mmCIF file with all atom_site columns, all heavy atoms in Angstrom:
data_model
loop_
_atom_site.group_PDB
_atom_site.id
_atom_site.type_symbol
_atom_site.label_atom_id
_atom_site.label_alt_id
_atom_site.label_comp_id
_atom_site.label_asym_id
_atom_site.label_entity_id
_atom_site.label_seq_id
_atom_site.pdbx_PDB_ins_code
_atom_site.Cartn_x
_atom_site.Cartn_y
_atom_site.Cartn_z
_atom_site.occupancy
_atom_site.B_iso_or_equiv
_atom_site.pdbx_formal_charge
_atom_site.auth_seq_id
_atom_site.auth_comp_id
_atom_site.auth_asym_id
_atom_site.auth_atom_id
_atom_site.pdbx_PDB_model_num
ATOM 1   N N   . ASP A 1 256 ? 65.075 68.117 94.163 1.00 90.00 ? 256 ASP A N   1
ATOM 2   C CA  . ASP A 1 256 ? 66.174 67.245 93.723 1.00 90.00 ? 256 ASP A CA  1
ATOM 3   C C   . ASP A 1 256 ? 67.323 68.106 93.200 1.00 90.00 ? 256 ASP A C   1
ATOM 4   O O   . ASP A 1 256 ? 67.292 68.568 92.065 1.00 90.00 ? 256 ASP A O   1
ATOM 5   C CB  . ASP A 1 256 ? 65.671 66.286 92.631 1.00 90.00 ? 256 ASP A CB  1
ATOM 6   C CG  . ASP A 1 256 ? 66.682 65.189 92.309 1.00 90.00 ? 256 ASP A CG  1
ATOM 7   O OD1 . ASP A 1 256 ? 67.872 65.391 92.574 1.00 90.00 ? 256 ASP A OD1 1
ATOM 8   O OD2 . ASP A 1 256 ? 66.266 64.147 91.758 1.00 90.00 ? 256 ASP A OD2 1
ATOM 9   N N   . VAL A 1 257 ? 68.332 68.321 94.050 1.00 92.00 ? 257 VAL A N   1
ATOM 10  C CA  . VAL A 1 257 ? 69.480 69.140 93.669 1.00 92.00 ? 257 VAL A CA  1
ATOM 11  C C   . VAL A 1 257 ? 70.258 68.499 92.502 1.00 92.00 ? 257 VAL A C   1
ATOM 12  O O   . VAL A 1 257 ? 70.694 69.158 91.568 1.00 92.00 ? 257 VAL A O   1
ATOM 13  C CB  . VAL A 1 257 ? 70.422 69.364 94.872 1.00 92.00 ? 257 VAL A CB  1
ATOM 14  C CG1 . VAL A 1 257 ? 71.697 70.079 94.445 1.00 92.00 ? 257 VAL A CG1 1
ATOM 15  C CG2 . VAL A 1 257 ? 69.720 70.160 95.959 1.00 92.00 ? 257 VAL A CG2 1
ATOM 16  N N   . ARG A 1 258 ? 70.409 67.186 92.565 1.00 93.00 ? 258 ARG A N   1
ATOM 17  C CA  . ARG A 1 258 ? 71.138 66.477 91.523 1.00 93.00 ? 258 ARG A CA  1
ATOM 18  C C   . ARG A 1 258 ? 70.467 66.657 90.154 1.00 93.00 ? 258 ARG A C   1
ATOM 19  O O   . ARG A 1 258 ? 71.135 66.894 89.146 1.00 93.00 ? 258 ARG A O   1
ATOM 20  C CB  . ARG A 1 258 ? 71.233 64.995 91.862 1.00 93.00 ? 258 ARG A CB  1
ATOM 21  C CG  . ARG A 1 258 ? 71.964 64.159 90.845 1.00 93.00 ? 258 ARG A CG  1
ATOM 22  C CD  . ARG A 1 258 ? 71.918 62.686 91.196 1.00 93.00 ? 258 ARG A CD  1
ATOM 23  N NE  . ARG A 1 258 ? 72.433 61.854 90.117 1.00 93.00 ? 258 ARG A NE  1
ATOM 24  C CZ  . ARG A 1 258 ? 73.709 61.611 89.921 1.00 93.00 ? 258 ARG A CZ  1
ATOM 25  N NH1 . ARG A 1 258 ? 74.594 62.101 90.760 1.00 93.00 ? 258 ARG A NH1 1
ATOM 26  N NH2 . ARG A 1 258 ? 74.121 60.862 88.905 1.00 93.00 ? 258 ARG A NH2 1
ATOM 27  N N   . ALA A 1 259 ? 69.141 66.559 90.122 1.00 95.00 ? 259 ALA A N   1
ATOM 28  C CA  . ALA A 1 259 ? 68.411 66.765 88.871 1.00 95.00 ? 259 ALA A CA  1
ATOM 29  C C   . ALA A 1 259 ? 68.592 68.197 88.365 1.00 95.00 ? 259 ALA A C   1
ATOM 30  O O   . ALA A 1 259 ? 68.769 68.420 87.168 1.00 95.00 ? 259 ALA A O   1
ATOM 31  C CB  . ALA A 1 259 ? 66.926 66.455 89.060 1.00 95.00 ? 259 ALA A CB  1
ATOM 32  N N   . ARG A 1 260 ? 68.564 69.169 89.299 1.00 96.00 ? 260 ARG A N   1
ATOM 33  C CA  . ARG A 1 260 ? 68.786 70.561 88.900 1.00 96.00 ? 260 ARG A CA  1
ATOM 34  C C   . ARG A 1 260 ? 70.142 70.743 88.237 1.00 96.00 ? 260 ARG A C   1
ATOM 35  O O   . ARG A 1 260 ? 70.284 71.373 87.188 1.00 96.00 ? 260 ARG A O   1
ATOM 36  C CB  . ARG A 1 260 ? 68.671 71.445 90.144 1.00 96.00 ? 260 ARG A CB  1
ATOM 37  C CG  . ARG A 1 260 ? 68.724 72.966 89.930 1.00 96.00 ? 260 ARG A CG  1
ATOM 38  C CD  . ARG A 1 260 ? 70.150 73.545 89.904 1.00 96.00 ? 260 ARG A CD  1
ATOM 39  N NE  . ARG A 1 260 ? 70.988 73.160 90.983 1.00 96.00 ? 260 ARG A NE  1
ATOM 40  C CZ  . ARG A 1 260 ? 71.048 73.757 92.172 1.00 96.00 ? 260 ARG A CZ  1
ATOM 41  N NH1 . ARG A 1 260 ? 70.288 74.770 92.439 1.00 96.00 ? 260 ARG A NH1 1
ATOM 42  N NH2 . ARG A 1 260 ? 71.920 73.308 93.080 1.00 96.00 ? 260 ARG A NH2 1
ATOM 43  N N   . ASP A 1 261 ? 71.191 70.162 88.853 1.00 97.00 ? 261 ASP A N   1
ATOM 44  C CA  . ASP A 1 261 ? 72.532 70.290 88.305 1.00 97.00 ? 261 ASP A CA  1
ATOM 45  C C   . ASP A 1 261 ? 72.678 69.581 86.955 1.00 97.00 ? 261 ASP A C   1
ATOM 46  O O   . ASP A 1 261 ? 73.380 70.062 86.052 1.00 97.00 ? 261 ASP A O   1
ATOM 47  C CB  . ASP A 1 261 ? 73.557 69.752 89.323 1.00 97.00 ? 261 ASP A CB  1
ATOM 48  C CG  . ASP A 1 261 ? 73.709 70.640 90.519 1.00 97.00 ? 261 ASP A CG  1
ATOM 49  O OD1 . ASP A 1 261 ? 73.397 71.840 90.407 1.00 97.00 ? 261 ASP A OD1 1
ATOM 50  O OD2 . ASP A 1 261 ? 74.114 70.144 91.582 1.00 97.00 ? 261 ASP A OD2 1
ATOM 51  N N   . THR A 1 262 ? 72.000 68.436 86.811 1.00 97.00 ? 262 THR A N   1
ATOM 52  C CA  . THR A 1 262 ? 72.025 67.727 85.526 1.00 97.00 ? 262 THR A CA  1
ATOM 53  C C   . THR A 1 262 ? 71.426 68.584 84.432 1.00 97.00 ? 262 THR A C   1
ATOM 54  O O   . THR A 1 262 ? 71.953 68.673 83.327 1.00 97.00 ? 262 THR A O   1
ATOM 55  C CB  . THR A 1 262 ? 71.269 66.391 85.647 1.00 97.00 ? 262 THR A CB  1
ATOM 56  O OG1 . THR A 1 262 ? 71.877 65.570 86.629 1.00 97.00 ? 262 THR A OG1 1
ATOM 57  C CG2 . THR A 1 262 ? 71.276 65.655 84.316 1.00 97.00 ? 262 THR A CG2 1
ATOM 58  N N   . ILE A 1 263 ? 70.285 69.222 84.725 1.00 97.00 ? 263 ILE A N   1
ATOM 59  C CA  . ILE A 1 263 ? 69.630 70.088 83.735 1.00 97.00 ? 263 ILE A CA  1
ATOM 60  C C   . ILE A 1 263 ? 70.523 71.262 83.389 1.00 97.00 ? 263 ILE A C   1
ATOM 61  O O   . ILE A 1 263 ? 70.703 71.585 82.198 1.00 97.00 ? 263 ILE A O   1
ATOM 62  C CB  . ILE A 1 263 ? 68.279 70.587 84.286 1.00 97.00 ? 263 ILE A CB  1
ATOM 63  C CG1 . ILE A 1 263 ? 67.311 69.426 84.431 1.00 97.00 ? 263 ILE A CG1 1
ATOM 64  C CG2 . ILE A 1 263 ? 67.692 71.651 83.344 1.00 97.00 ? 263 ILE A CG2 1
ATOM 65  C CD1 . ILE A 1 263 ? 66.012 69.796 85.124 1.00 97.00 ? 263 ILE A CD1 1
ATOM 66  N N   . VAL A 1 264 ? 71.078 71.927 84.385 1.00 98.00 ? 264 VAL A N   1
ATOM 67  C CA  . VAL A 1 264 ? 71.918 73.117 84.149 1.00 98.00 ? 264 VAL A CA  1
ATOM 68  C C   . VAL A 1 264 ? 73.122 72.751 83.286 1.00 98.00 ? 264 VAL A C   1
ATOM 69  O O   . VAL A 1 264 ? 73.452 73.443 82.301 1.00 98.00 ? 264 VAL A O   1
ATOM 70  C CB  . VAL A 1 264 ? 72.348 73.751 85.474 1.00 98.00 ? 264 VAL A CB  1
ATOM 71  C CG1 . VAL A 1 264 ? 73.444 74.788 85.253 1.00 98.00 ? 264 VAL A CG1 1
ATOM 72  C CG2 . VAL A 1 264 ? 71.165 74.373 86.171 1.00 98.00 ? 264 VAL A CG2 1
ATOM 73  N N   . LEU A 1 265 ? 73.816 71.682 83.640 1.00 98.00 ? 265 LEU A N   1
ATOM 74  C CA  . LEU A 1 265 ? 75.012 71.284 82.879 1.00 98.00 ? 265 LEU A CA  1
ATOM 75  C C   . LEU A 1 265 ? 74.660 70.844 81.459 1.00 98.00 ? 265 LEU A C   1
ATOM 76  O O   . LEU A 1 265 ? 75.372 71.145 80.509 1.00 98.00 ? 265 LEU A O   1
ATOM 77  C CB  . LEU A 1 265 ? 75.746 70.162 83.607 1.00 98.00 ? 265 LEU A CB  1
ATOM 78  C CG  . LEU A 1 265 ? 76.420 70.577 84.923 1.00 98.00 ? 265 LEU A CG  1
ATOM 79  C CD1 . LEU A 1 265 ? 76.896 69.355 85.694 1.00 98.00 ? 265 LEU A CD1 1
ATOM 80  C CD2 . LEU A 1 265 ? 77.602 71.513 84.653 1.00 98.00 ? 265 LEU A CD2 1
ATOM 81  N N   . THR A 1 266 ? 73.519 70.149 81.311 1.00 98.00 ? 266 THR A N   1
ATOM 82  C CA  . THR A 1 266 ? 73.083 69.733 79.973 1.00 98.00 ? 266 THR A CA  1
ATOM 83  C C   . THR A 1 266 ? 72.747 70.957 79.119 1.00 98.00 ? 266 THR A C   1
ATOM 84  O O   . THR A 1 266 ? 73.149 71.018 77.948 1.00 98.00 ? 266 THR A O   1
ATOM 85  C CB  . THR A 1 266 ? 71.850 68.825 80.072 1.00 98.00 ? 266 THR A CB  1
ATOM 86  O OG1 . THR A 1 266 ? 72.187 67.665 80.854 1.00 98.00 ? 266 THR A OG1 1
ATOM 87  C CG2 . THR A 1 266 ? 71.391 68.371 78.694 1.00 98.00 ? 266 THR A CG2 1
ATOM 88  N N   . MET A 1 267 ? 72.034 71.896 79.686 1.00 97.00 ? 267 MET A N   1
ATOM 89  C CA  . MET A 1 267 ? 71.642 73.085 78.922 1.00 97.00 ? 267 MET A CA  1
ATOM 90  C C   . MET A 1 267 ? 72.861 73.909 78.533 1.00 97.00 ? 267 MET A C   1
ATOM 91  O O   . MET A 1 267 ? 72.924 74.444 77.417 1.00 97.00 ? 267 MET A O   1
ATOM 92  C CB  . MET A 1 267 ? 70.666 73.925 79.741 1.00 97.00 ? 267 MET A CB  1
ATOM 93  C CG  . MET A 1 267 ? 69.955 75.006 78.935 1.00 97.00 ? 267 MET A CG  1
ATOM 94  S SD  . MET A 1 267 ? 68.555 75.716 79.821 1.00 97.00 ? 267 MET A SD  1
ATOM 95  C CE  . MET A 1 267 ? 67.882 76.775 78.537 1.00 97.00 ? 267 MET A CE  1
ATOM 96  N N   . ARG A 1 268 ? 73.821 74.031 79.450 1.00 97.00 ? 268 ARG A N   1
ATOM 97  C CA  . ARG A 1 268 ? 75.051 74.760 79.099 1.00 97.00 ? 268 ARG A CA  1
ATOM 98  C C   . ARG A 1 268 ? 75.814 74.056 77.997 1.00 97.00 ? 268 ARG A C   1
ATOM 99  O O   . ARG A 1 268 ? 76.431 74.724 77.153 1.00 97.00 ? 268 ARG A O   1
ATOM 100 C CB  . ARG A 1 268 ? 75.907 74.909 80.363 1.00 97.00 ? 268 ARG A CB  1
ATOM 101 C CG  . ARG A 1 268 ? 75.359 75.932 81.362 1.00 97.00 ? 268 ARG A CG  1
ATOM 102 C CD  . ARG A 1 268 ? 76.148 75.920 82.673 1.00 97.00 ? 268 ARG A CD  1
ATOM 103 N NE  . ARG A 1 268 ? 75.656 76.935 83.592 1.00 97.00 ? 268 ARG A NE  1
ATOM 104 C CZ  . ARG A 1 268 ? 76.035 77.057 84.859 1.00 97.00 ? 268 ARG A CZ  1
ATOM 105 N NH1 . ARG A 1 268 ? 76.926 76.194 85.359 1.00 97.00 ? 268 ARG A NH1 1
ATOM 106 N NH2 . ARG A 1 268 ? 75.541 78.006 85.625 1.00 97.00 ? 268 ARG A NH2 1
ATOM 107 N N   . MET A 1 269 ? 75.780 72.729 77.974 1.00 96.00 ? 269 MET A N   1
ATOM 108 C CA  . MET A 1 269 ? 76.466 71.994 76.913 1.00 96.00 ? 269 MET A CA  1
ATOM 109 C C   . MET A 1 269 ? 75.774 72.198 75.577 1.00 96.00 ? 269 MET A C   1
ATOM 110 O O   . MET A 1 269 ? 76.417 72.412 74.546 1.00 96.00 ? 269 MET A O   1
ATOM 111 C CB  . MET A 1 269 ? 76.508 70.511 77.270 1.00 96.00 ? 269 MET A CB  1
ATOM 112 C CG  . MET A 1 269 ? 77.263 69.655 76.271 1.00 96.00 ? 269 MET A CG  1
ATOM 113 S SD  . MET A 1 269 ? 79.016 70.122 76.165 1.00 96.00 ? 269 MET A SD  1
ATOM 114 C CE  . MET A 1 269 ? 79.608 69.530 77.764 1.00 96.00 ? 269 MET A CE  1
ATOM 115 N N   . PHE A 1 270 ? 74.421 72.172 75.566 1.00 97.00 ? 270 PHE A N   1
ATOM 116 C CA  . PHE A 1 270 ? 73.672 72.464 74.344 1.00 97.00 ? 270 PHE A CA  1
ATOM 117 C C   . PHE A 1 270 ? 73.999 73.860 73.837 1.00 97.00 ? 270 PHE A C   1
ATOM 118 O O   . PHE A 1 270 ? 74.203 74.082 72.634 1.00 97.00 ? 270 PHE A O   1
ATOM 119 C CB  . PHE A 1 270 ? 72.175 72.363 74.625 1.00 97.00 ? 270 PHE A CB  1
ATOM 120 C CG  . PHE A 1 270 ? 71.582 70.993 74.383 1.00 97.00 ? 270 PHE A CG  1
ATOM 121 C CD1 . PHE A 1 270 ? 71.725 69.976 75.314 1.00 97.00 ? 270 PHE A CD1 1
ATOM 122 C CD2 . PHE A 1 270 ? 70.877 70.722 73.214 1.00 97.00 ? 270 PHE A CD2 1
ATOM 123 C CE1 . PHE A 1 270 ? 71.201 68.730 75.104 1.00 97.00 ? 270 PHE A CE1 1
ATOM 124 C CE2 . PHE A 1 270 ? 70.333 69.470 72.983 1.00 97.00 ? 270 PHE A CE2 1
ATOM 125 C CZ  . PHE A 1 270 ? 70.479 68.453 73.927 1.00 97.00 ? 270 PHE A CZ  1
ATOM 126 N N   . GLN A 1 271 ? 74.047 74.830 74.747 1.00 96.00 ? 271 GLN A N   1
ATOM 127 C CA  . GLN A 1 271 ? 74.354 76.208 74.361 1.00 96.00 ? 271 GLN A CA  1
ATOM 128 C C   . GLN A 1 271 ? 75.755 76.304 73.772 1.00 96.00 ? 271 GLN A C   1
ATOM 129 O O   . GLN A 1 271 ? 75.966 76.942 72.736 1.00 96.00 ? 271 GLN A O   1
ATOM 130 C CB  . GLN A 1 271 ? 74.234 77.122 75.576 1.00 96.00 ? 271 GLN A CB  1
ATOM 131 C CG  . GLN A 1 271 ? 74.532 78.589 75.288 1.00 96.00 ? 271 GLN A CG  1
ATOM 132 C CD  . GLN A 1 271 ? 74.537 79.421 76.563 1.00 96.00 ? 271 GLN A CD  1
ATOM 133 O OE1 . GLN A 1 271 ? 74.737 78.902 77.659 1.00 96.00 ? 271 GLN A OE1 1
ATOM 134 N NE2 . GLN A 1 271 ? 74.322 80.721 76.438 1.00 96.00 ? 271 GLN A NE2 1
ATOM 135 N N   . SER A 1 272 ? 76.733 75.663 74.408 1.00 95.00 ? 272 SER A N   1
ATOM 136 C CA  . SER A 1 272 ? 78.118 75.716 73.923 1.00 95.00 ? 272 SER A CA  1
ATOM 137 C C   . SER A 1 272 ? 78.239 75.091 72.533 1.00 95.00 ? 272 SER A C   1
ATOM 138 O O   . SER A 1 272 ? 78.910 75.653 71.650 1.00 95.00 ? 272 SER A O   1
ATOM 139 C CB  . SER A 1 272 ? 79.022 74.979 74.915 1.00 95.00 ? 272 SER A CB  1
ATOM 140 O OG  . SER A 1 272 ? 80.337 74.907 74.452 1.00 95.00 ? 272 SER A OG  1
#
Side-chain angles (χ1 to χ4, degrees):
D256 190 338
V257 174
R258 179 185 171 84
R260 187 274 310 275
D261 289 336
T262 300
I263 293 173
V264 168
L265 291 170
T266 301
M267 193 167 186
R268 287 173 177 170
M269 183 63 70
F270 269 79
Q271 180 186 22
S272 176

